[in-house]
Amino acid sequence: MKHRYLPMTEQDQKDMLETIGVSSIDELFSDIPEAVRFTGEYKIKPAKSETSLLKELGRLAAKNSNAQDYASFLGAGVYDHYRPIIVDHVISRSEFYTAYTPYQPEISQGELQAIFEFQTMICELTGMELANSSMYDGGTSLAEAGTLAAGHTRRKKLLVSSTVHAESQAVVQSYADGQSIEVVTIPHTDGVTCVEKLKELIDDETAAVLVQYPNFFGQVEDLQVMGDIAHANGALFVVSANPLALGVLTPPGALGADITVGDAQPFGIAESFGGPHCGYFAVTKKLMRKVPGRLVGETTDDQGRRGYVLTLQAREQHIRRDKATSNICSNQALNALAASVAMTALGKEGVKEIAYQNIAKTAYARQAFEKAGFDVKFGPAHFNEIVVDLKSPIKEVNKRLLGQGIIGGYDLSLVDANLANHALIAVTEQRTKEEIDAFVQELEAIHA
Amino acid sequence: MHNENQSLIFEISKAGRVGYSLPELDVPELDVSSILPKQLIRTEDAELPEVSELDIMRHYTALSNRNHGVDTGFYPLGSCTMKYNPKINEAVARFPGFARIHPLQDESTVQGALEVAYDLQEHLAEITGMPQVTLQPAAGAHGEWTALMMIRAFHEANGDTQRTKVLVPDSAHGTNPASATVAGFDTVTVKSNDNGLVDLEDLKAKVGPDTAALMLTNPNTLGLFEEEILEMAKVVHGVGGKLYYDGANLNAVMSKARPGDMGFDAVHLNLHKTFTGPHGGGGPGSGPVGVTEELAAFMPKPVITKVDDRFVLNYDVPQSIGRVKPYYGNFGIYLRAYTYIRSMGPDGLKAVTEYAVLNANYMMRRLEPYFDLPYTQHCKHEFVLSGRRQKKLGVRTLDMAKRLLDFGYHPPTIYFPLNVEEGMMIEPTETESKETLDNFIEAMIQIAKEVDENPEIVQEAPHTTVIGRLDETKAARKPVLRYTKEA
Ligand SMILES: Cc1ncc(COP(=O)(O)O)c(C=O)c1O
């Protein structure tokens, strides 16, 4: 069999079999019992050459409407943001992407240091004392925050705000099911967590209060009030934050968060149909030894030179096995690298600028909608998303928009029956004034 | 340069430099305090670096030069399948029609992506012999947990709530028992016998009406095929338990044996190993799960299916365990795996396994005279040597691993599995040439000689890396997990 990934020659094969002392490769599989031996070949599609496979997959890709060809106003947890060109150049360096977990620090200093820098940047943005090297995504990161809290407080109830992303709520529920933890949803009023209801629901069985910042409806909630309530009841306060929004928003660490999680996708990571993205997980010092996943720490070598290693590994599955509190092994290292490069490129000034542009453009869109006679729901405290009543079923509206080169907002009737005809509209810095105006005009035309 | 510390990006930062380019704001300026309450507006800047684009590129290039990947050199890290990562995969994953699509777009606008997912499910179903596949789990461990949650839901649906135990062999990967715990089960360890295989008697003694499942890696982490698999399946199924297959090691058996035919009820695959999603320095991965029809009712939502000639996301799965991840799994990674499978075809995948196993056996036989080989039968895709002999001479496996760095190799997995003293787990993969294997073997033989003649050179290794052995105790005792600017 000749294939560009397989260097074996007939002569090699002959020589190797001889060294092993067998006459055929088949003999090496003689330990597989006849009864379970698979003979023949898989009934799968035949191999394709590089050229024809590129063509075929190119055709499949072309069937998808993408954010390069369309102006996208779709967010709801995944955003079309500025992705500095340099990000792809760095993550394409194969010393990074063809390596695995840095088990051998002497030849993995590049990856280890990059993660150490990632951990630092996440701390800076979130105002937390330490951060791990990444989690699968924002949803599982939030779920693990919930189970951490339950383990830490030895309590079996989580209060999750209904303004948390619906899919993240569902993931929290699945993880909680595994550990027989009860999940209670806190209702919202006017697009924000109902604080009165939170006070009613919280009790001395509550392990944590989980909220989102900005929340699913784009609203920026007052964290401190909810954090205080959590703490007064001996519960942890968990915040799922969009890290890019933290360019302008007070960091959760300064507002009482014990755990801040989220997804770093807004920093240089492609939407990629929902994954891979990059969960992050940041905590206060007192929770350091409970953090799931890998942590990189600074140390020195035998000559006193600074270097980095995986550390505090006694928390992890490969050491603790069934006593581990998390099973995570592989994480999202390459995307943490991508996010680091994007955070570095934006830097101290850029992260403020980009966050500000998101708010300003969304505020502009809000006015434009109002001017055009659409009702924008909820208060003015938004980041880059608003809820707009488009007066017709969103599925139909979006179909018409697509014909005009626009990917419309998220259909909120999918998560809340009271929000039929309402779309969650995201306006990132990528959207130009022209696109926003055209979008509103199209909607007016549809409505007319 | 050699004795200097590699700068952190924060240390080369200088106020006034930028590395970004955003368009001028084209809408009216906004006073943020007009819409946000004062206490929610950030007052203290996040201290991110201030550097130029060239600074960034140089910094990360310098870091990459301090990193060893498969493209740098041989990487026989056992249980990790460090095979070549094809470049076409990278190209395909970057097509805008794949990279720049949003998971919540209307189904009709992402038919191409759903077709990839659906067709991959079909391919993986055939490869594993399991009728149904979900692509939702993000990595191997996540797949293990997902499958265990399905098994749990299955037992509960049958009123079998007393099934609280998951059996795990002592040679299992650490994620197996950890996943069992996270799924709410108690773990019971099953012993290995003298041949490195599951001790059937011990298994029989430990199964019972409280057995939810047995988690098995086959070939196991020693690289040995569990020959009594059918008998084990009978034992576990006999008491009403389910059989779970850790398919991280599928490279060993593709086209030779399928979990479905061996009697397994659920299997996870690590697409970032056997199927060349790159390892990424530790991820992202992708850990699809295949199950029997019986368990399929409990699959995570949504299920990607085909209705007539449309690909659809089916949320109507009443007994589903729910969601295990937002959206539909790590699409960008399983797209790469799909590209790989399509590049190989059925004959290619068969050759992959044959050559991976041939390479492993060749290395094992050539190294056997120089190191202890606890289990001498033919191996599959990997084998485990023991450094017992060298340990008696005062040289540990860790030392030999460090010495390999001087030869430009990534060492094998060491001290795993736990049932081998001073273990070295070597997995060459099929993408390495005989010349590469021979050179590595020569290096290993030389190290064995050094242990006899000049042990210090091994004990003090590495000698040629950018940094020496690092003080891990110090790192753990006084953890420094982030950079802090000196005052
Ligand atoms: C045998 C085995 N099982 C499970 C895993 C866990 O996979 P992941 O790291 O993708 O979670 C691994 C790899 O790390 C493995 O080698």
Side-chain angles (χ1 to χ4, degrees), chain A residues 100 103 136 294 317 327-331, chain B residues 78-80 138-144 172-176 217 221 246-249 268 270 272-273 282 285-287 416:
Chain A
Y100 206 16
Y103 294 122
Y136 302 140
R294 302 196 167 108
Q317 46 76 27
N327 63 339
I328 192 167
C329 180
S330 293
N331 53 29
Chain B
S79 203
C80 295
H142 202 214
E144 293 168 17
H173 194 267
T175 51
N176 289 189
T217 310
T221 57
D246 178 334
N249 293 343
H268 91 259
N270 278 12
H272 46 302
K273 294 181 178 173
S286 175
F416 178 77

Side-chain angles (χ1 to χ4, degrees), chain B residues 332-369:
Chain B
I333 303 300
Y334 62 72
L335 169 62
R336 287 171 169 91
Y338 180 68
T339 306
Y340 172 70
I341 293 171
R342 298 294 313 279
S343 301
M344 301 311 295
D347 48 341
L349 289 182
K350 186 171 175 184
V352 164
T353 287
E354 293 187 343
Y355 297 160
V357 170
L358 179 60
N359 281 352
N361 278 281
Y362 172 72
M363 291 183 82
M364 179 171 83
R365 294 308 168 202
R366 284 208 55 199
L367 288 169
E368 195 176 359

Side-chain angles (χ1 to χ4, degrees), chain A residues 38 42-43 45 56 64 75 93 99 113 124 167 174 178 246 248 272-273 299 306 321-322 331 356 395, chain B residues 7 29 42 47 64 97 99 101-102 106 119 126 152 172 181 255-256 281-282 323 327 342 471 482:
Chain A
F38 184 84
Y42 290 139
K43 288 190 205 63
K45 291 182 177 162
E56 181 190 325
N64 305 320
R93 289 198 67 91
Q113 183 174 327
E124 280 297 327
E167 300 202 1
S174 307
L246 301 179
V248 277
S272 196
F273 203 40
T299 186
R306 182 173 69 184
R321 298 178 75 84
D322 62 318
N331 53 29
Y356 168 69
K395 198 174 164 74
Chain B
S7 297
E29 295 281 348
R42 185 163 197 141
E47 289 296 333
S64 73
I101 54 176
H102 193 290
D106 191 78
D119 203 36
E126 168 68 8
R152 181 175 154 161
T181 299
S255 306
K256 297 294 170 186
R323 262 190 183 283
Y327 320 118
R342 298 294 313 279
D471 187 345
R482 56 156 298 173

Side-chain angles (χ1 to χ4, degrees), chain A residues 258-327:
Chain A
D258 299 289
I259 306 176
T260 301
V261 296
D263 204 305
Q265 184 272 328
F267 287 125
I269 297 171
E271 301 98 309
S272 196
F273 203 40
H277 295 163
C278 178
Y280 72 84
F281 200 105
V283 298
T284 56
K285 256 212 179 98
K286 71 168 194 268
L287 296 174
M288 179 171 72
R289 285 171 204 281
K290 306 262 168 89
V291 171
R294 302 196 167 108
L295 288 169
V296 171
E298 186 181 299
T299 186
T300 45
D301 77 351
D302 40 12
Q303 293 177 45
R305 290 174 293 197
R306 182 173 69 184
Y308 303 89
V309 292
L310 294 172
T311 194
L312 300 175
Q313 296 192 67
R315 300 162 294 114
E316 290 183 65
Q317 46 76 27
H318 62 288
I319 311 277
R320 299 201 77 179
R321 298 178 75 84
D322 62 318
K323 302 288 182 300
T325 50
S326 169
N327 63 339

Side-chain angles (χ1 to χ4, degrees), chain B residues 3 39 46 138 275 279-280 306 335 345 362 373 405:
Chain B
N3 265 309
Q39 70 275 20
F275 298 99
H279 290 75
K306 193 175 176 185
L335 169 62
Y362 172 72
L373 179 66
L405 302 177

